Amino acid sequence: MPDQQCSGCSFLGQMCTYDKPSNRPKTRFVEELKQRVADLETKLRTLSVCSLCFRSLESTFDASPTQDPPREDNAHDEDADPDPEIEALTRQLKHNLFGSDSTFHLIQNTITIKDKYLGRLSQTTPLARRVSWDPLPWEQEFFAPRTSYVFPPDDLIGHLMDLYFINIHPTLPVLNRTFLQRQVEDKLYLTDPHLEAVLLAVLAVASRFSDDPRVMIAGDTLSCGWRFISQVRVIPNLSEPTVYDVQFYALMTLFHVGAVAPHITWVYLGLGARVIQYHGRFPRRSGIPDVEEELWNRAFWSIFLLDGLLSGFFGRTPTIHAEEYDVLPPLEVDDEYWEADFVQPAGKPSALSFFVYFVRLFEIHVKALDRLYASKPKKLRMGWTAEHEMEVVAELDSLMNNFLDSVPNHLRWPDATGIFFDQSAILQATYYGLQITIHRLYIHKQSPATGPSLFICVTAARSALKVAEILTNRTQRVPSTWFFQCPIFISAIILLLNVFTTKRSAASFRRVDLDKDLAQVQTALKIVKSTEGM
């Protein structure tokens, strides 16, 4: 359609954000859905309190969208005073999300049937088991957030926040800079333990890029950030999880991936994933986006990226599969325009475009891990054969080619400029790293793909290290992020493997190529060396 605007969005007068046609529901179907929602809301008011233990109510009702709600035999219940103990239980459980296959769903079905045939009786006896859901004093003490945080002076907070948003935010925008800075200026973190934990984690991550002695312990540069991160308790609290919790676990992952025990990041990612599952459904955008919705969106995709990165590096199964969640891609709107109805100025590329395409690349990455690196029992269940394996590899290669063609001009390597140059380098290096991930399985095993895969891996490794060389020569620095360091490190290993393999075969020995590969390995070592304290 003209101006890259689909007919549906043109008719509705909305900005089109889709890159492929989408089928919009018919008007009659929409009206039926509206009527269905109205009927469900009516029936919800007639259900017993246990229906508040979960959100999936659809299967408790008949399929007809126009059926009248069940009649109550005890009409006087509608005017009865609410039971305070039931209200207390409601407040305790109303935020919990239980799946449609949970035991609570079975209980609710039973109560619904009972109410339909016997009528709903008023509550006349006290709930004697409040001890089962009210936290006891020692439990409250254990789960209570620590309140004795010690923050640095305001000038150091400002300095570290600037470092964080310069070095981390362009690659992994977990937070919104505008809102966080305003919250810090207003000292809101002094009264909100969730925000306090997020801010301390930000200061800890940013300390890795600072030479201020106030971020160190006894002047040791390897201690940067520990005086902040050591104050925060990782134990979840008893209150409803918020987006701050997911942000906190993402930041803890960023900090500890460069510490002495990077394996602990697997625990933080697991906690973040569970909070996301607890949060449940992600709202779909309708009209002007919502700030809370977009913060959850960014937090989800940040955990997804970190989970994919570390799953591949540690050789583990990814925790989060994006196709299992109803989550839209991040909005390509810079932080400062969120309060302007989320409208990015025309002609100004968004720094969030990188995040969107990075997510797409990692969706391919997770798909490769889930299929090519699946366990033997899982492959048996999938009916895995050599032919099927080659089909999967070909499919992933096709997705990679399509991805490269879809990258916008301002992120294309090596023509990008400014902040987009760093982003383009990370995107390109990660692309080559993913090529290696897809094909390195076939380097050493007998397979029709062995020869081509070795060539693809070596070529990708050389290309990734060439990206790193151009970047460091032009900017005289290295992006201090694991998303850049991982493909560079893996590429160096592939080139070393190629050197050793080639030396064993005198017939294919080519000194010039080996010297070039070894020179690129030295470049990789310098990059890793320069970032070892981050």
Side-chain angles (χ1 to χ4, degrees):
M1 295 293 290
D3 302 324
Q4 299 298 311
Q5 187 87 351
C6 72
S7 57
C9 291
S10 297
F11 176 77
L12 296 172
Q14 295 181 350
M15 182 178 66
C16 184
T17 59
Y18 290 91
D19 56 3
K20 61 182 180 181
S22 60
N23 296 324
R24 294 183 177 273
K26 301 297 183 183
T27 303
R28 186 175 64 84
F29 180 60
V30 172
E31 294 302 322
E32 289 179 356
L33 288 177
K34 289 181 179 179
Q35 181 62 42
R36 176 103 173 122
V37 169
D39 292 339
L40 289 175
E41 289 177 345
T42 301
K43 293 181 179 182
L44 179 60
R45 298 188 187 97
T46 69
L47 293 177
S48 61
V49 66
C50 291
S51 65
L52 297 172
C53 295
F54 65 95
R55 300 178 185 175
S56 300
L57 296 171
E58 291 86 348
S59 63
T60 63
F61 308 119
D62 295 332
S64 173
T66 58
Q67 183 180 357
D68 293 333
R71 295 179 59 84
E72 298 287 346
D73 292 341
N74 295 21
H76 64 275
D77 285 347
E78 297 178 0
D79 300 325
D81 294 333
D83 189 293
E85 293 200 341
I86 291 182
E87 286 194 328
L89 177 59
T90 300
R91 287 192 298 271
Q92 181 72 17
L93 296 178
K94 68 179 180 178
H95 295 302
N96 291 347
L97 174 67
F98 297 106
S100 58
D101 297 324
S102 68
T103 303
F104 293 96
H105 196 275
L106 176 62
I107 295 172
Q108 179 55 43
N109 284 337
T110 305
I111 293 175
T112 302
I113 294 173
K114 183 269 295 181
D115 289 346
K116 182 175 182 180
Y117 290 101
L118 301 180
R120 190 176 62 177
L121 302 177
S122 60
Q123 180 71 31
T124 57
T125 58
L127 299 176
R129 297 296 299 169
R130 291 199 56 166
V131 68
S132 300
W133 62 80
D134 278 354
L136 299 170
W138 48 88
E139 292 174 325
Q140 292 179 357
E141 181 181 355
F142 179 78
F143 285 105
R146 185 180 297 178
T147 57
S148 57
Y149 294 130
V150 177
F151 288 93
D154 291 346
D155 67 306
L156 184 55
I157 291 179
H159 166 67
L160 292 177
M161 286 183 61
D162 286 341
L163 289 177
Y164 174 85
F165 285 105
I166 290 172
N167 293 282
I168 300 297
H169 192 65
T171 306
L172 197 73
V174 185
L175 310 168
N176 178 291
R177 181 172 189 169
T178 303
F179 291 115
L180 182 62
Q181 286 183 328
R182 185 179 303 160
Q183 289 169 324
V184 172
E185 290 171 359
D186 295 340
K187 304 288 186 181
L188 298 182
Y189 59 90
L190 296 178
T191 57
D192 188 339
H194 298 283
L195 181 58
E196 282 180 315
V198 169
L199 179 57
L200 283 171
V202 167
L203 300 181
V205 172
S207 295
R208 297 272 175 81
F209 311 105
S210 176
D211 56 2
D212 193 307
R214 292 176 292 179
V215 305
M216 308 174 193
I217 299 175
D220 191 333
T221 56
L222 295 179
S223 68
C224 289
W226 280 99
R227 65 169 67 252
F228 307 125
I229 209 72
S230 61
Q231 299 183 51
V232 187
R233 296 183 65 182
V234 183
I235 301 173
N237 53 68
L238 285 175
S239 61
E240 180 191 7
T242 67
V243 70
Y244 288 133
D245 294 284
V246 187
Q247 293 170 342
F248 172 70
Y249 293 129
L251 293 168
M252 290 290 283
T253 300
L254 282 174
F255 181 82
H256 283 281
V257 77
V260 69
H263 56 272
I264 198 66
T265 57
W266 203 248
V267 177
Y268 299 138
L269 287 174
L271 289 170
R274 289 305 185 192
V275 172
I276 288 170
Q277 290 175 340
Y278 185 100
H279 175 65
R281 300 190 185 104
F282 281 75
R284 308 292 288 178
R285 298 187 189 108
S286 57
I288 298 176
D290 178 75
V291 170
E292 181 78 7
E293 172 188 339
E294 288 307 313
L295 287 175
W296 271 106
N297 186 288
R298 283 191 181 186
F300 171 85
W301 289 117
S302 297
I303 291 288
F304 172 77
L305 289 175
L306 290 167
D307 180 49
L309 172 73
L310 296 177
S311 295
F313 195 80
F314 292 145
R316 294 171 177 168
T317 304
T319 303
I320 295 181
H321 298 81
E323 66 271 12
E324 297 177 358
Y325 295 84
D326 187 23
V327 186
L328 290 173
L331 276 178
E332 295 185 51
V333 178
D334 293 334
D335 294 3
E336 58 268 29
Y337 303 116
W338 280 28
E339 294 179 305
D341 294 338
F342 289 87
V343 177
Q344 183 77 12
K348 181 180 180 180
S350 171
L352 266 293
S353 298
F354 164 82
F355 193 44
V356 173
Y357 284 89
F358 212 36
V359 163
R360 293 184 186 178
L361 192 58
F362 267 83
E363 286 179 316
I364 304 174
H365 176 76
V366 170
K367 183 176 293 187
L369 294 180
D370 193 47
R371 299 171 73 179
L372 297 179
Y373 291 81
S375 63
K376 289 183 178 180
K378 184 175 181 179
K379 287 185 175 180
L380 287 174
R381 291 193 297 271
M382 291 190 299
W384 197 260
T385 63
E387 292 75 15
H388 182 212
E389 191 169 19
M390 292 303 98
E391 290 175 1
V392 171
V393 172
E395 178 190 346
L396 293 171
D397 284 338
S398 177
L399 290 174
M400 293 287 286
N401 292 332
N402 293 337
F403 168 81
L404 207 56
D405 293 338
S406 69
V407 175
N409 291 332
H410 69 278
L411 287 176
R412 288 191 177 273
W413 176 263
D415 300 325
T417 58
I419 188 177
F420 302 122
F421 182 70
D422 281 13
Q423 292 180 335
S424 176
I426 296 171
L427 197 64
Q428 197 74 15
T430 305
Y431 174 87
Y432 293 129
L434 179 50
Q435 277 190 321
I436 294 173
T437 298
I438 293 172
H439 288 276
R440 67 184 174 92
L441 279 174
Y442 309 102
I443 293 178
H444 291 298
K445 73 178 188 178
Q446 294 299 321
S447 167
T450 299
S453 290
L454 178 60
F455 175 78
I456 291 172
C457 286
V458 172
T459 303
R462 289 169 178 166
S463 300
L465 293 178
K466 187 64 177 177
V467 169
E469 184 179 2
I470 294 174
L471 175 66
T472 52
N473 289 340
R474 187 181 299 187
T475 63
Q476 299 302 308
R477 57 180 173 76
V478 177
S480 30
T481 166
W482 257 62
F483 288 106
F484 186 76
Q485 297 167 28
C486 280
I488 299 306
F489 178 76
I490 294 171
S491 297
I493 298 298
I494 291 294
L495 289 191
L496 285 175
L497 177 64
N498 184 56
V499 168
F500 299 144
T501 304
T502 305
K503 280 190 173 183
R504 287 192 313 176
S505 175
S508 60
F509 182 81
R510 295 180 59 187
R511 185 76 237 174
V512 175
D513 288 343
L514 295 186
D515 288 344
K516 289 181 179 178
D517 286 349
L518 289 173
Q520 286 191 307
V521 170
Q522 289 298 321
T523 299
L525 289 175
K526 291 179 183 178
I527 291 174
V528 174
K529 177 70 175 176
S530 68
T531 59
E532 66 181 4
M534 297 178 180

